[in-house]
Amino acid sequence: MPKIEVYRDALIELIGSGPLTDEQLEEIFPCAKAELDESADETGIMKVELNDTNRPDLWSTAGLARQLRIHQGGNHPDYPFFSDSGTSRESAGRKIVVDSSVREIRPWVVGFVMTGDPVNEAVLKDLIQTQEKLTWNYGRKRKSIAMGLYRSDLITYPVHYRGADPETTRFVPLQMEQALSLREILRKHPKGQEYAHIVEDLPLFPLLEDDKGEILSFPPVINSAHLGAVQEGDSSLFVELTGTDLDSLLHAASIVACDAADLGYTVEPVAVEYPWETPYGRSFTVPYYFQVSQSAPIAQISALLGVDLQEKEILQALGRMGIEASIAEGSVEIRVPQYRNDFLHPVDVVEDVMIGCGMDFFSPRMPRDFTMGRLTPLEEYSRRLKTLLVGLGFQEMVFNYLGSGKDYIEKLYPRDEWDQAFAHTVQVDNPMSENYAFVRPSVIASLLQAESVSANAVYPHNVFEVGKVAEQYEPDPTGTRTLTNLGFLTADRGAGFNLVNSRVSAILYYMGHEYSLRECRDSRFIPGRAAEIVLQGTDQAVGVFGELHPRVLDAWGIQMPCTAGEINLEGLLDHVGKTGGSA
């Protein structure tokens, strides 16, 4: 969970309710899902841990103080500098011009200017901490959000955002004294080495420069040593954010802008001009309000919280969370604050009502329903099956349920079947790594992965797993369903169809199932040496087994013949219920 450092005196001043002891702070921290981690040291810095990751607006002194102040009855702050779909704030000639060359490499950039009193140590430290927390936690280690601070007085607007040649473009990066090419920065600068993986394979590298050609930064890696060397005493800062998701950038920019306003700075909007159409037009000014309102039925709020709340109580509770709300036709509708973007469902509204009321508002009550834990029929059936497999000489394995398309598809099927296989496999949206981009569609791939690194073990190898697989399934509201499958594999010189057929026969006999076989054309197996399992009284296959194709074994680097099979346990258990067999 995020942990931030704040100057204690600055936090108390921003809360505005007078002196507070550590004990008093701990009493009000829960409204921000926070707790005191370490008391202030000799420098006045205290550490606060946030117990949730969906409120990045709390990861700063100003953001934390805002929530505490409002919950204690303070006034809601006003941020008149925001534009929205119906208004556009004056940018006073400050703008960012985006070149089409960045569209395929790192397409989005936003920014604004903050002016006021010269920044002191506490403000600068908090800005840098906000930058680090937002880009590391919220921005996936700068991959989707990177933020830069610059000395606005030295910048000649408009700022230009373009793709640059990594070999010929040179500037002096922060904390260095000699000019380096963008490619050299990746090799020689500590930040370049740390974040090279984000950009090193791109044909062009992102670059920010002002209208005179003075370079601001090479995002998401490093600022320049001239315009990007912000220090104490600067009174006008240009804040920019680049990344791969526009809404995330706008949200992060809103958070920093609201923090700056709460610290007493004037936020001056900056226009952004794109050569292509964006969800908010080709040109808009930032900070930009893009949040969508959310509503929740009052009956749902009362039901989930277990208390019949009056309309006035709901509005007061939301007000203590900094949320403007109204009630009409039995539902409460909220206007999401500019610095928040975590309302995805009516339950999120309910949660804020609960926090706004405070835990003391709800009287403790003993549970009225008592239940006994027990195994599901599927789990009991799976345990019997595992015991049977062990008795047949198999060793149980346990694998991850996420993996790569290469393992789950490319190593199993011929090239002309890849597109169809990918289309029917459940993929992870926005994965952190391509190694965990797909949900497992079959247990056999996992067993092959284990066999591919087991050549030094004494043969025969008999392994199995009872585990989850996922498939696309339109009748389900999620479009997918999760199944429990038995997968088993044998690697040995004598492994052939007769061997695996006898084992399938033993498994189904001892589990009490009558079945028949029919030929299958699963390309993972050798043609003519594979079969589908069809249970008595049905025409749907619940499993498949056979001799694995040499192409599959070569793809995994396996030198020994292998047989494998996979059976769906829900199908077997459902058959027990229909036939009255033993389970």
Side-chain angles (χ1 to χ4, degrees):
M1 296 299 176
K3 184 182 297 185
I4 63 173
E5 296 182 350
V6 301
Y7 281 92
R8 191 182 190 284
D9 291 346
L11 178 68
I12 300 300
E13 182 179 354
L14 288 170
I15 295 174
S17 58
L20 294 171
T21 64
D22 284 357
E23 290 73 18
Q24 290 172 319
L25 283 173
E26 287 185 304
E27 289 179 2
I28 63 175
F29 272 169
C31 72
K33 299 182 182 179
E35 59 184 52
L36 181 63
D37 186 66
E38 292 183 18
S39 299
D41 57 19
E42 63 276 3
T43 65
I45 295 177
M46 63 189 299
K47 295 182 180 180
V48 179
E49 183 169 1
L50 287 307
N51 296 319
D52 208 336
T53 58
N54 65 347
R55 290 285 305 273
D57 60 291
L58 300 175
W59 301 348
S60 64
T61 304
L64 178 60
R66 180 192 308 119
Q67 180 62 74
L68 300 177
R69 180 177 66 253
I70 295 174
H71 196 271
Q72 293 298 104
N75 294 329
H76 292 200
D78 183 29
Y79 303 118
F81 44 79
F82 274 85
S83 300
D84 57 32
S85 58
T87 63
S88 181
R89 302 300 175 189
E90 173 60 43
S91 63
R94 292 178 299 272
K95 65 181 179 180
I96 304 172
V97 179
V98 182
D99 188 80
S100 59
S101 57
V102 298
R103 186 168 189 176
E104 301 302 325
I105 59 174
R106 193 175 180 85
W108 306 112
V109 61
V110 298
F112 64 89
V113 172
M114 50 181 286
T115 61
D117 294 335
V119 297
N120 55 29
E121 179 185 1
V123 171
L124 185 57
K125 181 180 177 66
D126 205 52
L127 283 172
I128 294 174
Q129 176 179 245
T130 300
Q131 176 186 23
E132 292 175 348
K133 295 295 182 183
L134 284 177
T135 58
W136 188 262
N137 294 46
Y138 189 28
R140 298 173 58 210
K141 302 178 182 179
R142 298 194 186 182
K143 187 173 183 179
S144 59
I145 300 175
M147 173 179 160
L149 302 172
Y150 310 91
R151 308 172 77 180
S152 182
D153 290 340
L154 303 181
I155 296 174
T156 303
Y157 292 91
V159 170
H160 298 270
Y161 181 51
R162 64 179 179 87
D165 187 322
E167 310 297 342
T168 60
T169 306
R170 305 175 65 84
F171 71 97
V172 180
L174 202 62
Q175 298 174 345
M176 296 191 79
E177 297 181 354
Q178 65 182 52
L180 300 175
S181 71
L182 304 185
R183 185 76 68 184
E184 289 174 332
I185 289 174
L186 299 187
R187 296 195 304 265
K188 299 180 179 181
H189 197 285
K191 292 297 182 183
Q193 296 167 3
E194 184 175 0
Y195 298 107
H197 65 280
I198 302 176
V199 296
E200 60 186 350
D201 294 329
L202 299 176
L204 299 174
F205 287 1
L207 190 76
L208 279 164
E209 61 185 5
D210 74 358
D211 205 41
K212 288 186 177 180
E214 289 284 339
I215 292 177
L216 279 71
S217 74
F218 164 25
V221 180
I222 191 67
N223 284 6
S224 75
H226 177 44
L227 299 181
V230 175
Q231 55 192 357
E232 292 180 43
D234 289 334
S235 58
S236 182
L237 303 182
F238 172 56
V239 181
E240 62 77 22
L241 299 101
T242 65
T244 57
D245 180 73
L246 181 55
D247 282 356
S248 296
L249 289 183
L250 290 173
H251 182 212
S254 299
I255 290 172
V256 182
C258 292
D259 285 356
D262 285 359
L263 292 171
Y265 289 88
T266 299
V267 175
E268 300 174 352
V270 170
V272 189
E273 294 182 357
Y274 285 91
W276 65 84
E277 198 65 38
T278 79
Y280 311 108
R282 286 176 174 259
S283 178
F284 53 89
T285 56
V286 180
Y288 188 90
Y289 183 79
F290 68 98
Q291 285 84 346
V292 179
S293 62
Q294 184 61 263
S295 62
I298 293 177
Q300 183 181 20
I301 296 174
S302 297
L304 289 178
L305 296 182
V307 177
D308 289 328
L309 293 171
Q310 301 300 312
E311 293 183 358
K312 182 179 180 180
E313 293 174 318
I314 293 174
L315 294 177
Q316 288 176 342
L318 291 172
R320 283 192 289 271
M321 297 302 292
I323 297 171
E324 298 177 13
S326 60
I327 293 179
E329 300 180 355
S331 290
V332 56
E333 181 164 342
I334 69 167
R335 184 180 188 276
V336 180
Q338 297 93 329
Y339 46 85
R340 293 185 62 175
N341 194 34
D342 56 312
F343 289 92
L344 309 178
H345 188 275
V347 170
D348 296 316
V349 179
V350 178
E351 180 186 29
D352 267 42
V353 172
M354 178 193 70
I355 298 174
C357 288
M359 296 306 297
D360 293 341
F361 178 84
F362 303 94
S363 301
R365 185 170 60 188
M366 289 292 292
R368 291 173 293 180
D369 298 322
F370 292 89
T371 59
M372 295 177 59
R374 63 183 183 273
L375 299 178
T376 64
L378 179 61
E379 180 61 27
E380 291 180 341
Y381 188 84
S382 299
R383 293 189 178 191
R384 283 191 58 218
L385 192 58
K386 291 178 183 180
T387 302
L388 175 59
L389 266 293
V390 171
L392 289 173
F394 282 78
Q395 180 177 350
E396 185 178 7
M397 312 287 281
V398 179
F399 300 98
N400 291 326
Y401 294 159
L402 297 181
S404 68
K406 182 177 182 180
D407 288 349
Y408 290 160
I409 296 172
E410 295 177 12
K411 289 184 178 182
L412 293 178
Y413 298 97
R415 180 65 181 84
D416 58 358
E417 295 184 17
W418 286 2
D419 291 343
Q420 183 179 6
F422 275 117
H424 289 85
T425 304
V426 179
Q427 301 187 34
V428 178
D429 188 22
N430 199 22
M432 293 291 289
S433 167
E434 64 179 12
N435 292 327
Y436 303 100
F438 292 82
V439 184
R440 184 173 68 173
S442 169
V443 180
I444 292 177
S446 299
L447 297 171
L448 284 167
Q449 187 177 32
E451 178 58 30
S452 68
V453 294
S454 301
N456 293 327
V458 177
Y459 289 95
H461 299 165
N462 296 306
V463 294
F464 81 95
E465 183 192 17
V466 174
K468 303 294 184 182
V469 299
E471 65 179 19
Q472 295 189 20
Y473 185 66
E474 290 186 4
D476 192 278
T478 65
T480 67
R481 65 176 175 179
T482 303
L483 303 173
T484 302
N485 283 8
L486 161 68
F488 51 94
L489 178 144
T490 295
D492 193 30
R493 293 187 183 276
F497 183 82
N498 288 339
L499 176 64
V500 67
N501 184 29
S502 67
R503 284 172 170 169
V504 170
S505 177
I507 292 170
L508 295 178
Y509 172 79
Y510 285 112
M511 297 304 291
H513 298 282
E514 296 288 338
Y515 72 100
S516 61
L517 299 180
R518 70 185 179 201
E519 183 181 358
C520 78
R521 301 185 181 278
D522 192 322
S523 58
R524 296 176 296 177
F525 302 95
I526 298 174
R529 300 185 187 180
E532 291 180 336
I533 302 168
V534 181
L535 297 176
Q536 184 182 47
T538 73
D539 61 356
Q540 294 295 318
V542 295
V544 63
F545 66 91
E547 297 181 31
L548 289 171
H549 199 288
R551 181 198 69 255
V552 174
L553 301 181
D554 287 343
W556 285 98
I558 298 172
Q559 303 298 318
M560 193 68 68
C562 291
T563 59
E566 188 160 0
I567 304 174
N568 174 242
L569 300 194
E570 281 93 351
L572 293 183
L573 194 58
D574 184 54
H575 184 253
V576 170
K578 290 179 179 178
T579 61
S582 62

